Amino acid sequence: MDWFIVNMSNISLESVLPGDEPRDERLAKIEIAILSIIFITAGILNFGLLLVLWKRRKQLSRMRVFVFHLCVADLVVTFFQVCPQLIWDITDRFVGPDILCRAVKYLQVVGMFASTYMIVVMTIDRYQAICNPMVTFQKRRARWNGPVCAAWFVSLIGSLPQLFIFSRVEVAPGVYDCWAQFIKPWGPRAYVTWTTLVIFVLPILMVIVCQVRICRTVRINFHMKTQHVAEAASKSLSSRASSVAGVSKARVKTVKMTVVIVLAYIICWAPFFTAQLWSVWDVVPPTQTATFTILMLLASLNSCANPCIYLLFSGKLPKSLMALMCDGQPDMKESIQEDATMVSSLYISLKSISDCK
């Protein structure tokens, strides 16, 4: 039987057996440098935000619960997708037994699934909050967040084929690597097309439908509230109209944040899935140029973008970082409070020196 052996990593999809050609060492160094930066940045940002949210877990809103689990999903991507690929690039071959090969490939796709579907359930939640506010208000606070559990369940189940597709195989005499084996020619095409549909295309379509309906509802509410404010002004009820508008602005802000998160996901992952489809469906596969490889690598930047987007929209980036440093350390808190005047004076002195320069 004719088999098609392929390494479906987060970098490239090869259509030839590894070992036929030596790798480009210069390009490999660029890949290692980029992956190292992404790994360190994503790890610090997501772990820091996760700690901040965990220490405030009793006051978490629904939106922050979704952000919390999105951080967990991005950490799965960071430690089980970016990190293994970084080690893989350094060693040139996968180092480890068959069970580790299957586990790594399984967790790589779990991270992709979880990150995607956490954005989907987050968008659906915003849709319900904006378009069906009474239904959302009447829901009781459950011990387990249903949409979040559903996202993780889909991720864990949807990634199971990885355990059977990938294995440690002999790719050259005496040389072993973690690769997938497909029946040629429809095997790789079916696999790549399926993963693109369930991880990228279908979730994006669901998100777009929800966002369009949200925008339509917000626009209708805006016109209604404009008329309401005009009527209230004539009846001296402007204070009441202002409070109603304030709640709407808070919800619209979370919707805007969700839109930016979705756009960041599309920008980061669209080149990756496009290149994967091109590699298996084109008669003449694209050559592995430096530009092509780097674009594939940048997909993992999405794990760096998500915490930054949340912190910027929440307007609490400096406060969150200070909370991360001080929370859970009472002695440090007391010390900071006692020395607040001294720190303030030091800041003014440094500022005045800087102005003099």
Side-chain angles (χ1 to χ4, degrees):
M1 184 176 293
D2 191 11
W3 290 90
F4 184 89
I5 304 181
V6 57
N7 179 7
M8 274 287 297
S9 66
N10 65 328
I11 290 183
S12 62
L13 186 145
E14 304 285 351
S15 59
V16 296
L17 286 175
D20 292 347
E21 297 179 3
R23 71 170 182 172
D24 186 343
E25 292 297 333
R26 182 181 177 184
L27 180 58
K29 291 179 180 178
I30 296 176
E31 294 176 14
I32 293 171
I34 293 176
L35 285 173
S36 299
I37 294 173
I38 293 174
F39 174 70
I40 295 173
T41 305
I44 293 174
L45 288 174
N46 285 285
F47 188 70
L49 180 56
L50 195 67
L51 283 180
V52 171
L53 294 174
W54 176 255
K55 291 175 181 179
R56 290 163 173 76
R57 58 189 179 277
K58 294 182 180 179
Q59 295 84 28
L60 287 184
S61 62
R62 285 182 62 84
M63 192 63 187
R64 290 182 178 178
V65 171
F66 288 115
V67 173
F68 178 89
H69 285 272
L70 184 59
C71 282
V72 175
D74 286 332
L75 284 175
V76 174
V77 173
T78 302
F79 286 97
F80 297 105
Q81 183 172 351
V82 179
C83 182
Q85 191 60 49
L86 174 60
I87 298 173
W88 206 331
D89 282 344
I90 294 174
T91 60
D92 190 26
R93 299 293 179 192
F94 183 85
V95 180
D98 180 71
I99 188 172
L100 181 61
C101 163
R102 296 174 189 267
V104 166
K105 285 301 179 181
Y106 173 73
L107 291 172
Q108 281 184 341
V109 179
V110 166
M112 294 172 65
F113 260 106
S115 182
T116 303
Y117 282 90
M118 209 59 66
I119 295 174
V120 172
V121 296
M122 183 190 303
T123 305
I124 293 175
D125 181 79
R126 292 301 88 195
Y127 165 76
Q128 292 179 342
I130 298 294
C131 301
N132 301 305
M134 292 305 298
V135 175
T136 304
F137 177 76
Q138 292 174 357
K139 286 183 178 179
R140 295 182 178 179
R141 188 184 181 93
R143 182 178 181 182
W144 298 97
N145 189 306
V148 169
C149 293
W152 281 111
F153 179 78
V154 170
S155 304
L156 296 173
I157 298 300
S159 305
L160 286 177
Q162 295 289 106
L163 296 174
F164 306 98
I165 293 174
F166 286 89
S167 61
R168 185 172 180 265
V169 298
E170 187 175 11
V171 295
V175 179
Y176 292 86
D177 212 334
C178 185
W179 288 66
Q181 299 184 43
F182 296 109
I183 300 176
K184 192 177 179 180
W186 59 266
R189 291 179 179 178
Y191 174 75
V192 173
T193 304
W194 170 251
T195 55
T196 303
L197 284 175
V198 297
I199 298 179
F200 187 74
V201 177
L202 292 180
I204 293 302
L205 289 177
M206 295 170 62
V207 166
I208 290 175
V209 170
C210 289
Q211 293 293 355
V212 169
R213 293 187 177 183
I214 289 172
C215 292
R216 185 183 303 171
T217 302
V218 169
R219 186 179 63 178
I220 294 173
N221 287 343
F222 176 77
H223 290 299
M224 292 177 62
K225 285 179 180 178
T226 302
Q227 296 177 359
H228 182 68
V229 169
E231 294 174 358
S234 62
K235 297 179 181 179
S236 301
L237 296 174
S238 57
S239 60
R240 180 181 176 185
S242 175
S243 64
V244 174
V247 174
S248 178
K249 287 180 181 179
R251 286 185 174 179
V252 169
K253 185 177 181 180
T254 61
V255 171
K256 289 181 179 179
M257 184 186 74
T258 307
V259 171
V260 175
I261 290 176
V262 171
L263 289 176
Y265 177 81
I266 295 174
I267 293 171
C268 291
W269 283 100
F272 170 80
F273 287 107
T274 301
Q276 296 285 39
L277 289 173
W278 185 13
S279 298
V280 296
W281 283 102
D282 196 357
V283 178
V284 181
T287 56
Q288 297 293 322
T289 62
T291 303
F292 181 87
T293 303
I294 292 173
L295 282 176
M296 301 281 279
L297 283 170
L298 295 181
S300 300
L301 274 178
N302 186 238
S303 297
C304 302
N306 289 333
C308 292
I309 293 171
Y310 172 75
L311 290 172
L312 290 174
F313 267 89
S314 66
K316 297 179 180 179
L317 179 57
K319 295 180 181 179
S320 298
L321 293 178
M322 287 298 296
L324 176 62
M325 295 171 61
C326 302
D327 277 5
Q329 301 179 28
D331 294 338
M332 185 179 291
K333 286 183 180 179
E334 293 176 2
S335 177
I336 289 176
Q337 290 174 356
E338 291 173 358
D339 299 337
T341 305
M342 182 179 66
V343 172
S344 178
S345 302
L346 178 61
Y347 172 77
I348 294 172
S349 300
L350 291 174
K351 189 175 185 300
S352 62
I353 294 173
S354 176
D355 293 339
C356 291
K357 292 182 178 179

